[in-house]
Amino acid sequence: MADQNTSNTQPPEHKPESKMKHIVSFGAMILLTVAAFVLVLRDVVPVVWVLPLMLGFAVIQVLLQLFTFMHLDQKGSFYYILFIAFGVMVAVISVTGLVFMP
Amino acid sequence: MAHDSVEIKPGVHLETATFEGKNKVMGFWMFLGAETVLFACLFGTYLALRNQTVNGPSGADLFDPVLVAVATAILLFSSLTSVFAMMAMNKLDKKGMLFWLGVTVLLGLSFLVLEIYEFIHYIHEGHTFMSSAFGSSFYALVGTHGAHVTFGIIWISTIMYQAWKWGINTETAPKLFVSSLYWHFIDVVWVFIFTLVYLLGMVG
Amino acid sequence: MSRKGLWRILAVLALAMLVLAGCDSSKILPSDALNVLDPKGTAGEKSLDLIYFSIAIMLVVFAIVMAIFIYVLVKFRKREGVTLDRSKYKDHNTVLEIIWTVLPIAALVALAIPTVKYTFDLAEVPKGDDVLVVEVVGHQYWWEFKYPKQGFKTAQELHIPVGKKVHFKITGTDVLHAFWVPALGGKMDVIPGRVNELTLDAKKAGLYHGKCAELCGASHALMDFKVVAEEQADFDKWLAKMSAPPAPVVTAKEKQGEEIFNSSCIKCHAGMDPKRQGPDLTKFGNRQSIAGVLKYDEKNLKAWLKDPKSIKPGTKMEKFDFLNDQELDALTQYLMNRK
Amino acid sequence: MGTLLIMIVFGLFFAAIFTGGYNNTLIQRARKTTAWDWLTSVDHKKIGVMYFMAGIFYFVVGGLEALFMRYQLLVPGNDAFVGRTFNELLTMHGTTMIFFAAMPLIFGLINVVMPLQIGARDVAFPFLNSLGFWLFFFGALLTNMGWIFGGAPDAGWTSYVQLALNEYSPGPGVDYYVLGLQIAGAGTTMSGINFLVTILNMRTKGMSLLRMPMFTWTSLITSVLIIFAMPPLTIALLLLMMDRLFGANFFDHVMGGSAVLWEHLFWIFGHPEVYIVVLPAFGIMSDIFSTFSKKKLFGYNSMVFATSLIGFLGFMVWVHHMFTVGLGPVSNSIFAIATMLIAIPTGIKVFNWLFTMWGGELTFPVAMKWAIGFIPTFVIGGMTGIMLAAPPADFQYQDSYFVVAHFHYVLIGGTVFALLAGAYYWWPKMFGKMLSERLGNWHFWLFFIGFHLTFFPQHFLGLFGMPRRVFTYEPNVGLEYINQVSTFGAILMGIGTIIFAWNMIQSFRSKKIAAADPWDGRSLEWATQTPVPFYNFAQLPEVRGVDAFWLEKQAGNKEMTPAEPLGKIHMPSGSHIPFLMSIALFVGGWGLIARSWQIGVMGLLAFGVTMFMRSFDRDHGFYVKPKELLDKEAKS
C-alpha cells in the first residue's frame, strides 16, 4: 500500500461476481431471520437458549452481509476487516459494560 | 492523485480506480467502524433501560411480530437490490443500475412509512418518547436507525441524479459504491434491532 | 538563561517556604479531623496500608528511573573535544527490553494481590446485632442520617460509637454526592435511585469532619458534616436524648417562636413536600453546627435565618428577613431549646 | 429575542456574502484578501497553523480560568469567585483545556508535520480537513458563548447527571456544553478518519509502516482511538440533549433513567480521550529525544508495540473512574488489574527514551529541555496513576485534590510539555522563523518550576482531606499554606506563558527566515524547504529506512533521492463550503440553545443545503506544471 502515491494506478481488474452468490447469501439471511422469529413465537427450544441462538443467527447474518454484500471477501480488504473488527470489539465491550454494570 | 488516464470499461473497479476513490472507500469503512460503536452505545442504553417502563406498556405489550417481519423483509430485500445495482455499475450498465437503485429507494421509503405507522400506533398506546426511560431509549435507538434510513434515501437519490446526468465514471462510482456500503450497514444494524429490540422484547 | 538566575529563584522559594512554615503549624500540618494519612478507623487503615505500599513500590521504580536519567544526562551530554566510541551503543537490546517488561509485571503483581484482597475486604457486609446501621441521604447541600432501628433521624451530625462497625446505606434524592469521612476511611457515591453500602468504624473517640466529594452544585464546597465518635456510654446517652420526646415549650417567647415555626418553617422542615424537604429540626438544640458550616451560636443562627443564600449559595432555604428582631429572637430561642 | 435577531441578521449577511448576493466586484475583492485565503484554505499546513493558533488562544483562556480559581483558593473563605461562578470556571477550565486547547494543538502539529513526515503532498481528504477545523472552531466558540449569553456550563467537564439536567442546572449553561461539544466532536471524528487514511494510503515510496517516524505512529494510533472513542461521547451528549431539550428520561431516576449510564458512556469515551491527548505527546518526545541525542530511537519496534498496546488497553479500563459508584468488588478488581497493565507499555516507553539518550551526543535547546523535564514529571504522573488504580486506596483519593494533582502531572507534564517542545521544535517548519532560545529558556524554567510548585503540593491537599472542585476550604486543618504555594506556582506558570506569547510575537515580527534543517533533523519534514511550498515536495522522496533524511545525510547526500520524475502535480482547490457548513451548524446549535426551534431547524436545513453544494461541486483541483515548480525552486 506504501507506494500508491506514486505508482501510476492500474485499475484493479474485476473478477466477475456471480449474481448467484448474492442470491444464495440473501436466501440464507431470510432463512436465519425466519428461524429467529420461529424461536421466539413458537416454543421450540428452552427459554434460556432463545437469546444466545438468536444472537448467533444475527451474527451469522451480519457476517454474510459484510463478506458478500459489502465485498469484504475481496482482496485488499485487510484494513477494512481490521477496523470493523476493532469497532466490533469496542462495541461489545461497551455494551457489556452498559448492560452488566448498571 | 486524480489520473485522467483511467480507462472506463466494464469489469473495472471504478470505485477504487483513482486515488481519491481508494481513500474514500477506506475512509468510509472507518466511518462505519465509528458507526458500529455509536449504535452499540445506543443498544447498550436501550438494553440497560428497557425494563424501566414506569407503569407504561412494555415491549411484550406493544410489539407486533407481523409488522416487524414485513419491515425486516423489506430492508433485507433492499440490501439485495443494492448489490444488484453495484453489479450493474461494474458492468457500466447505467440503466440497470438506476433501476435497481430506484427499487432500493422505494423499498427504503416503504420501510420508513411502516416505521412511522408503527410509531404513531405506539404513541396511541401511550408509549412515547417522554413516557419513561424505556420509551426514550426505544425511540432513540430505532429513531436513530430511521434517521439513517432517511438520510440514505436522500443520499442515494441525489447520487442517482448525478449518475444519470454525469454517467458512471471515476467521480460517481466511488460515491455509488460508498452509499451502497452505507445501505448495507443500515441493514446490519436492523438485524440487531429486530433481534435485540423486537424479538427480545416479545420474549420479555 | 544563566544558571545563576535559576538558583536565585530556587533559593528565594526555599526561603519563602521556611518562613511560611515557621508561622503557624495548623496552617501547614494536617488536622486529626480529616487526615487520610492518620486514619482513625479500620477502612482508613487498610486504604493507608495500600497507599504506603504502592508509594514504596513507586519510589523504588522512581529511584531506578532517576538514577539512569541523571547518569545519562551527565555522562552523555555533548562535550567539546570528547568523542565517544559510538559503535558500542546499539539502538535496541532484546535482553534489556525483556527485563524492563518483566520487572514492572512483577511489581504490578505484587501490588495487585493486596489490592484485590483489600477490595473484597472493604466490600464485606458486617453481620450480627453488634452492627449499627445508619441510612445516609444526601441532599443539595445537607446530609440526613437516619437510625432506622432507633427510629429517629438527624442532619449534618452523625454520632457513632467507638469500636463498633457502622454499616451505611447511602442514597440520595436530587443529584450525585459522595459521602466521605477522610479520617475514617474511603468514600462512597450518593446516587439517587440506588442504595450503596459502606462500612466504617472509629477506633478513637473524636470529632471528625465529613465532606461531599462529588460536584453537586453551587454549594458543593459547603456540604460538610461532622462525625462524633464517642464511647459506647456517651453514645447511648445521645441515643436516649434523641429518642426522648422533645423538651416542653415553656416561656411565652418560645411559644411565640413555636407559632412562627408552625406557620412557616414546618412546610419544609417536617418533610411534607419531598421536593422541598429540609432537615428535621426536632432536636435542633443538640447540634454542634448550623447548616453544617457555621459554629453553633445564636448570632450565626440569626445570620443564617436572615440570609441563608449568602452563606450557602443555591440552598433551597428561604430568607426569613420578614421577621422583625423580636420575632427572630423568639424563633431562635425556640429552635435552640429543642433538645 | 434580541440575540436571535442579531443572529438572523448575521446569518443573512454571511449567506449573502457566500452565495454572491452582493455585487461581483466586492466578491472579487474579497477573494483576493488574505482572510479569504485562510478561510477557504485546504492546505494541511495552513489548517494546522489555524488549529495551533486557536489552541494557543484557548490555552490562554483556560489558563486565565485556572488563575481565577487559584486566586479564589488563596485564602480560606475568599469570596472572589464563589458558588455558581466558581463552578462555571472549573467546568470551562476542564472543557477548554481538553477539547479546545490540547486537542487542537495536537491536531495542529499532526496536520503540519505528519504529511511531511510520510512524504505526502496533502492529507487524504483536504476538504474534510478544513471542515474538521471549522467545526471545531465554531463548536468551541459556541461553548464559550455561554460566558456572554446566559451563563457558562457549570456541571463540571464530566457534566455528571442529574446535576446537568434542567432541574438542577436551569438556564442555557449546560446546553452550550452539549451542543458546542457535539459540533466540535463531529469535526474531531472527521479529522481522525482523515489522518488515518492519510497515514495508511498516502505514504511515499519506501515508507513502510515500520519506517514511519514515531510521531506519525502515535498519530495513527491516536486517530484510531478518536474514531472509536468519539461515538460514545456523541451518544452521551445526544442523550443529554434529548433529556434537556426534548423531555426524554434517560437520566432522570424518577422516570426510570440512570445516572450511572451517563458515567459509563462518558468514561468509555473519557479514558481513551486521555490517550488521545497523551499518545501524540509520546510521539513528539520520541522524535525530539532521537534528534537531540543524534541517535536512532532505541527499541523502535517495541515502541510501536507499546503504543498500540496502550491504545488497545485504553478501551477496557474506563471503570477506574467509577470505583466509588458502588459497582461491587468484582468489577472494581477486574478494572483495577486492567488499569495496572497499562503501566507495562508505558514503562517500556520511558526506558526506551532513556536508552535513546544513552550513548548519545546530547544537546539541550529549549525543545530538548521540555523533553528532559517531561521524564521525571510524567513518571510521577504515571506512578500516581498506578496508585489510583488500586480501589481501596482510590476510595480515599477519588474526587480529592490528589486526583487533580495526578491528572495535571499527566496532562501538563505529558501533553503540554510535549506540545511546547513540539512548538519549539517544529516552529521553523510551521512559520518559517525561529523562536528565541533565550526567551524560551525563561519560559521553560518558569513554567517548569511553577508547574511543580502548583501541583506537587496538591497531592498533599488531597491526602489532608480537601475534595476537588470546591471554592473554599476549612481554615486551621493544614490547608492554607499549601494552597498558597500552589497559587504562587500558578502565577509563575502564567508568567512563563506570557514570555512564550512574547517569544511568538517577536518571532512573527522578525524578518530572518529559518534554515531548512536547523536541528540536523532525521525525518522527512526537515528535507523540505523553509518555508514549505504548498505542494510540499516537488518530487516525492524515496525512503530507505527509519530516519530517512538522516540516512541520506549519513550517505553524503544533501537531499532525498526522488521517487518520481519531475511531473505535473495535482493539488486540491480551496473551498468556502466548510466554513459555511460550520456556520450553519453554529446558528442551528445556538437556535436550539435559545430554545428557538425555528432557528434550530433552519440551521440544520442550511447544513443540508451546504451538503448538496458540496456534492454538486465539481471542482477537481488544479495542476502545478513542472516549469512553475522549477522556477519556484530556483527562486528559493
Side-chain angles (χ1 to χ4, degrees):
Chain A
M1 303 228 71
D3 47 26
Q4 279 165 352
N5 209 355
T6 48
S7 69
N8 207 335
T9 321
Q10 285 302 326
E13 276 299 321
H14 177 58
K15 76 166 190 245
E17 271 192 314
S18 71
K19 221 169 197 164
M20 211 47 218
K21 179 176 91 182
H22 294 298
I23 292 173
V24 168
S25 161
F26 176 72
M29 287 177 206
I30 292 284
L31 274 180
L32 287 166
T33 311
V34 171
F37 271 97
V38 169
L39 275 185
V40 171
L41 299 177
R42 303 260 181 280
D43 291 327
V44 277
V45 291
V47 179
V48 282
W49 281 98
V50 173
L51 181 62
L53 274 176
M54 249 166 31
L55 270 178
F57 291 162
V59 169
I60 299 172
Q61 224 191 108
V62 164
L63 287 178
L64 278 174
Q65 279 269 0
L66 285 169
F67 282 90
T68 58
F69 286 12
M70 295 168 89
H71 316 290
L72 280 186
D73 55 346
Q74 287 177 10
K75 259 200 331 203
S77 300
F78 172 72
Y79 284 128
Y80 311 158
I81 296 174
L82 189 70
F83 280 99
I84 287 294
F86 196 63
V88 168
M89 186 201 82
V90 174
V92 170
I93 293 172
S94 311
V95 172
T96 316
L98 289 171
V99 175
F100 293 103
M101 292 186 288
Chain B
M1 310 298 109
H3 288 275
D4 309 327
S5 55
V6 175
E7 196 187 343
I8 297 179
K9 62 173 187 196
V12 165
H13 272 290
L14 279 178
E15 68 271 10
T16 47
T18 61
F19 207 58
E20 279 87 357
K22 247 176 239 163
N23 286 346
K24 201 174 243 173
V25 172
M26 180 181 268
F28 199 78
W29 271 106
M30 282 155 194
F31 171 72
L32 290 185
E35 287 265 278
T36 310
V37 181
L38 191 110
F39 273 105
C41 291
L42 283 172
F43 273 109
T45 304
Y46 172 78
L47 291 175
L49 299 179
R50 74 188 186 99
N51 294 324
Q52 307 294 333
T53 52
V54 195
N55 305 324
S58 70
D61 305 334
L62 289 166
F63 301 147
D64 172 11
V66 180
L67 203 71
V68 183
V70 174
T72 308
I74 291 177
L75 215 54
L76 264 180
F77 193 57
S78 80
S79 202
L80 183 70
T81 57
S82 171
V83 172
F84 288 165
M86 282 311 100
M87 292 171 74
M89 180 188 89
N90 264 320
K91 289 183 197 134
L92 296 183
D93 171 9
K94 189 162 111 179
K95 246 183 170 169
M97 184 190 77
L98 288 179
F99 170 75
W100 285 119
L101 282 182
V103 175
T104 310
V105 167
L106 283 180
L107 287 169
L109 274 175
S110 44
F111 173 85
L112 215 55
V113 169
L114 215 58
E115 187 155 84
I116 291 168
Y117 164 78
E118 184 198 355
F119 282 6
I120 292 173
H121 174 69
Y122 290 162
I123 289 168
H124 281 299
E125 300 267 308
H127 172 56
T128 69
F129 188 55
M130 291 183 240
S131 60
S132 63
F134 165 61
S136 300
S137 59
F138 171 83
Y139 285 105
L141 172 57
V142 184
T144 305
H145 178 262
H148 275 72
V149 175
T150 315
F151 182 81
I153 290 170
I154 299 172
W155 188 15
I156 294 178
S157 311
T158 311
I159 300 173
M160 273 170 72
Y161 172 79
Q162 291 181 352
W164 174 63
K165 259 199 119 168
W166 304 339
I168 299 172
N169 53 31
T170 50
E171 187 188 354
T172 50
K175 292 186 181 184
L176 287 159
F177 184 76
V178 156
S179 65
S180 106
L181 284 184
Y182 178 81
W183 195 257
H184 295 309
F185 181 77
I186 291 174
D187 197 24
V188 166
V189 172
W190 181 258
V191 170
F192 281 103
I193 288 184
F194 90 69
T195 310
L196 287 175
V197 177
Y198 291 102
L199 294 185
L200 191 63
M202 288 178 219
V203 177
Chain C
M1 181 176 116
S2 68
R3 213 144 300 256
K4 227 178 190 175
L6 164 70
W7 284 117
R8 221 172 272 156
I9 290 171
L10 276 182
V12 170
L13 285 179
L15 211 69
M17 287 285 286
L18 280 175
V19 169
L20 288 172
C23 283
D24 182 350
S25 64
S26 80
K27 295 190 170 164
I28 192 157
L29 293 177
S31 131
D32 270 5
L34 74 174
N35 184 4
V36 170
L37 298 178
D38 183 17
K40 303 291 190 295
T42 318
E45 282 169 358
K46 290 208 158 160
S47 293
L48 188 67
D49 279 355
L50 209 56
I51 292 175
Y52 280 150
F53 183 58
S54 54
I55 288 181
I57 294 183
M58 294 308 139
L59 280 180
V60 172
V61 177
F62 189 68
I64 297 172
V65 172
M66 281 306 105
I68 302 175
F69 179 68
I70 290 164
Y71 176 78
V72 164
L73 288 191
V74 174
K75 176 90 193 289
F76 297 107
R77 63 186 318 148
K78 187 180 179 182
R79 289 191 180 80
E80 292 305 320
V82 180
T83 41
L84 285 161
D85 175 17
R86 258 168 233 299
S87 59
K88 65 177 183 185
Y89 299 108
K90 295 285 189 301
D91 55 22
H92 73 99
N93 181 330
T94 315
V95 178
L96 267 180
E97 286 174 55
I98 289 173
I99 289 175
W100 65 57
T101 311
V102 172
L103 281 185
I105 293 179
L108 288 177
V109 170
L111 182 59
I113 292 168
T115 297
V116 173
K117 186 177 172 295
Y118 280 20
T119 305
F120 280 88
D121 281 0
L122 289 183
E124 211 173 283
V125 179
K127 293 208 173 65
D129 297 340
D130 205 29
V131 178
L132 175 68
V133 176
V134 180
E135 289 173 18
V136 178
V137 187
H139 302 268
Q140 267 181 334
Y141 307 97
W142 59 281
W143 295 92
E144 186 175 9
F145 302 106
K146 296 179 186 165
Y147 292 73
K149 218 166 149 194
Q150 290 77 6
F152 64 86
K153 55 187 176 180
T154 169
Q156 315 291 28
E157 227 173 87
L158 174 68
H159 284 247
I160 56 171
V162 169
K164 243 186 181 176
K165 292 269 173 214
V166 188
H167 190 63
F168 295 98
K169 292 184 187 303
I170 302 168
T171 188
T173 54
D174 37 40
V175 302
L176 301 186
H177 306 277
F179 174 83
W180 186 28
V181 190
L184 296 186
K187 60 183 76 65
M188 186 52 78
D189 286 0
V190 171
I191 301 173
R194 171 186 184 108
V195 179
N196 277 336
E197 299 181 76
L198 178 71
T199 308
L200 296 177
D201 60 11
K203 290 188 169 172
K204 208 179 136 204
L207 179 70
Y208 306 117
H209 294 196
K211 297 275 170 192
C212 171
E214 182 66 68
L215 180 65
C216 60
S219 273
H220 164 56
L222 301 174
M223 196 171 152
D224 289 356
F225 61 100
K226 300 282 181 294
V227 181
V228 183
E230 47 200 0
E231 298 301 337
Q232 188 68 45
D234 294 334
F235 180 69
D236 289 340
K237 250 184 250 164
W238 181 77
L239 279 186
K241 207 158 65 179
M242 292 302 283
S243 313
V249 177
V250 242
T251 65
K253 209 168 188 183
E254 284 180 35
K255 284 226 166 76
Q256 188 196 359
E258 185 178 25
E259 268 165 37
I260 297 168
F261 186 87
N262 286 339
S263 63
S264 47
C265 313
I266 205 159
K267 262 190 297 186
C268 303
H269 287 285
M272 286 168 181
D273 178 0
K275 280 275 170 199
R276 300 202 51 80
Q277 201 191 23
D280 187 83
L281 298 180
T282 325
K283 297 281 176 177
F284 187 73
N286 296 331
R287 294 277 193 85
Q288 301 195 3
S289 68
I290 293 164
V293 285
L294 296 178
K295 202 166 151 266
Y296 188 88
D297 61 25
E298 205 180 321
K299 207 175 112 248
N300 278 341
L301 181 56
K302 280 182 181 162
W304 168 254
L305 286 168
K306 271 187 190 147
D307 192 1
K309 287 192 169 63
S310 74
I311 292 160
K312 264 191 178 179
T315 177
K316 285 178 187 153
M317 169 96 176
E318 297 294 338
K319 277 183 184 178
F320 277 72
D321 53 356
F322 51 83
L323 299 177
N324 63 32
D325 282 357
Q326 195 270 331
E327 287 167 328
L328 199 63
D329 233 31
L331 184 59
T332 353
Q333 287 262 320
Y334 168 72
L335 285 173
M336 293 183 81
N337 283 334
R338 305 204 69 191
K339 289 189 177 171
Chain D
M1 259 347 254
T3 323
L4 291 180
L5 275 178
I6 294 169
M7 271 163 44
I8 295 171
V9 172
F10 261 98
L12 290 173
F13 180 67
F14 280 114
I17 286 182
F18 284 107
T19 52
Y22 278 73
N23 69 45
N24 262 335
T25 26
L26 192 74
I27 294 266
Q28 287 311 320
R29 214 183 301 157
R31 278 184 202 280
K32 279 187 197 126
T33 56
T34 324
W36 178 274
D37 185 31
W38 284 83
L39 230 56
T40 63
S41 174
V42 294
D43 180 351
H44 71 95
K45 297 176 291 296
K46 280 188 175 159
I47 292 173
V49 166
M50 287 194 287
Y51 261 126
F52 192 84
M53 295 319 284
I56 294 273
F57 171 75
Y58 282 113
F59 181 69
V60 171
V61 171
L64 279 177
E65 284 155 3
L67 281 173
F68 290 156
M69 285 192 283
R70 279 315 324 165
Y71 173 67
Q72 162 68 19
L73 291 171
L74 187 61
V75 288
N78 200 354
D79 57 0
F81 305 97
V82 298
R84 195 173 163 203
T85 316
F86 190 84
N87 289 356
E88 289 177 337
L89 285 174
L90 69 89
T91 304
M92 286 308 288
H93 169 71
T95 312
T96 303
M97 283 304 194
I98 293 275
F99 292 106
F100 308 144
M103 299 273 279
L105 283 169
I106 286 167
F107 281 13
L109 290 182
I110 294 182
N111 247 314
V112 173
V113 175
M114 179 270 287
L116 295 175
Q117 283 194 334
I118 62 171
R121 293 214 169 91
D122 207 325
V123 288
F125 308 110
F127 179 90
L128 271 193
N129 203 11
S130 161
L131 180 58
F133 170 74
W134 288 110
L135 283 178
F136 146 73
F137 183 84
F138 281 106
L141 198 63
L142 186 58
T143 313
N144 277 279
M145 279 299 140
W147 286 118
I148 308 168
F149 302 102
D154 62 345
W157 88 278
T158 51
S159 206
Y160 274 11
V161 291
Q162 290 79 11
L163 185 59
L165 296 182
N166 280 330
E167 195 180 344
Y168 304 104
S169 290
V174 179
D175 296 336
Y176 282 108
Y177 171 92
V178 167
L179 282 144
L181 282 191
Q182 278 192 78
I183 295 172
T188 308
T189 313
M190 284 173 200
S191 301
I193 294 177
N194 188 10
F195 294 145
L196 192 51
V197 177
T198 307
I199 296 175
L200 290 179
N201 268 359
M202 313 254 308
R203 278 167 284 127
T204 188
K205 194 175 173 195
M207 179 64 88
S208 65
L209 283 175
L210 282 178
R211 283 179 183 174
M212 298 194 306
M214 213 50 219
F215 179 63
T216 301
W217 254 111
T218 52
S219 307
L220 189 156
I221 303 292
T222 284
S223 307
V224 175
L225 293 188
I226 287 171
I227 293 173
F228 295 113
M230 289 312 280
L233 177 69
T234 311
I235 291 300
L237 293 172
L238 186 80
L239 301 187
L240 185 54
M241 181 179 83
M242 299 279 191
D243 262 20
R244 283 186 66 90
L245 263 56
F246 306 113
N249 299 303
F250 294 102
F251 305 122
D252 183 359
H253 72 281
V254 182
M255 298 299 283
S258 156
V260 181
L261 180 72
W262 168 272
E263 295 191 28
H264 275 306
L265 286 173
F266 187 84
W267 288 117
I268 291 174
F269 147 77
H271 198 78
E273 168 72 16
V274 175
Y275 296 114
I276 290 173
V277 295
V278 89
L279 284 181
F282 293 166
I284 296 168
M285 289 315 183
S286 303
D287 281 11
I288 287 177
F289 278 126
S290 167
T291 302
F292 295 111
S293 307
K294 298 238 171 299
K295 243 183 105 219
K296 188 186 158 189
L297 188 67
F298 191 90
Y300 176 91
N301 288 346
S302 66
M303 259 339 214
V304 170
F305 170 74
T307 311
S308 316
L309 196 61
I310 291 175
F312 184 76
L313 288 173
F315 280 101
M316 23 200 114
V317 296
W318 81 90
V319 174
H320 68 222
H321 297 268
M322 300 164 61
F323 279 154
T324 60
V325 166
L327 298 176
V330 180
S331 299
N332 282 1
S333 300
I334 293 172
F335 282 91
I337 291 170
T339 306
M340 289 179 187
L341 284 181
I342 294 189
I344 297 162
T346 315
I348 293 179
K349 277 177 170 287
V350 171
F351 284 111
N352 276 333
W353 288 320
L354 291 178
F355 278 78
T356 303
M357 292 190 284
W358 189 288
E361 195 175 290
L362 304 185
T363 47
F364 300 97
V366 179
M368 183 64 163
K369 284 208 178 76
W370 286 110
I372 295 289
F374 155 85
I375 292 244
T377 315
F378 185 77
V379 168
I380 292 175
M383 286 172 170
T384 49
I386 298 171
M387 289 164 66
L388 279 158
D394 179 74
F395 288 171
Q396 288 284 26
Y397 309 132
Q398 171 86 19
D399 271 319
S400 76
Y401 254 82
F402 190 89
V403 175
V404 177
H406 158 72
F407 66 69
H408 282 93
Y409 262 81
V410 178
L411 287 174
I412 297 185
T415 307
V416 173
F417 278 20
L419 287 168
L420 292 171
Y424 281 91
Y425 183 59
W426 282 311
W427 198 265
K429 275 297 157 210
M430 290 173 86
F431 297 98
K433 318 266 180 70
M434 298 293 280
L435 282 174
S436 150
E437 286 282 309
R438 189 176 55 85
L439 288 174
N441 275 318
W442 277 99
H443 174 206
F444 169 75
W445 284 112
L446 281 171
F447 197 90
F448 182 78
I449 294 169
F451 164 78
H452 282 280
L453 274 181
T454 312
F455 293 106
F456 195 76
Q458 289 188 359
H459 291 115
F460 292 97
L461 286 181
L463 292 174
F464 294 173
M466 181 163 163
R468 69 191 273 213
R469 293 170 163 176
V470 291
F471 64 77
T472 193
Y473 48 91
E474 286 176 67
N476 301 322
V477 290
L479 302 175
E480 281 100 324
Y481 287 146
I482 309 184
N483 269 302
Q484 279 164 20
V485 172
S486 187
T487 302
F488 176 66
I491 293 169
L492 286 190
M493 287 166 80
I495 297 171
T497 308
I498 292 172
I499 293 177
F500 181 49
W502 177 242
N503 200 350
M504 290 198 288
I505 293 169
Q506 290 291 49
S507 134
F508 291 139
R509 281 164 58 185
S510 114
K511 295 219 161 45
K512 224 175 113 191
I513 300 292
D517 181 16
W519 313 117
D520 198 5
R522 309 175 74 83
S523 40
L524 281 182
E525 73 267 32
W526 304 112
T528 58
Q529 301 164 20
T530 295
V532 187
F534 69 92
Y535 46 82
N536 294 355
F537 302 91
Q539 288 165 291
L540 291 179
E542 182 172 350
V543 169
R544 303 177 206 228
V546 184
D547 294 338
F549 189 39
W550 181 257
L551 289 181
E552 299 292 331
K553 285 194 282 192
Q554 291 299 92
N557 302 333
K558 285 234 167 60
E559 284 173 352
M560 296 297 298
T561 320
E564 56 176 9
L566 204 58
K568 59 179 184 174
I569 296 173
H570 176 250
M571 294 304 291
S573 338
S575 171
H576 61 267
I577 298 176
F579 188 76
L580 216 54
M581 283 179 151
S582 311
I583 289 256
L585 280 186
F586 178 76
V587 172
W590 207 343
L592 290 180
I593 290 169
R595 300 291 201 280
S596 157
W597 312 127
Q598 299 89 331
I599 297 203
V601 170
M602 260 172 50
L604 290 176
L605 282 180
F607 182 70
V609 170
T610 52
M611 282 170 79
F612 278 108
M613 284 168 70
R614 165 62 179 164
S615 188
F616 285 90
D617 180 13
R618 300 190 76 190
D619 183 346
H620 295 310
F622 59 94
Y623 285 91
V624 189
K625 303 263 162 22
K627 191 171 171 308
E628 296 170 35
L629 283 180
L630 288 177
D631 289 351
K632 274 197 181 133
E633 303 268 304
K635 246 186 242 163
S636 60

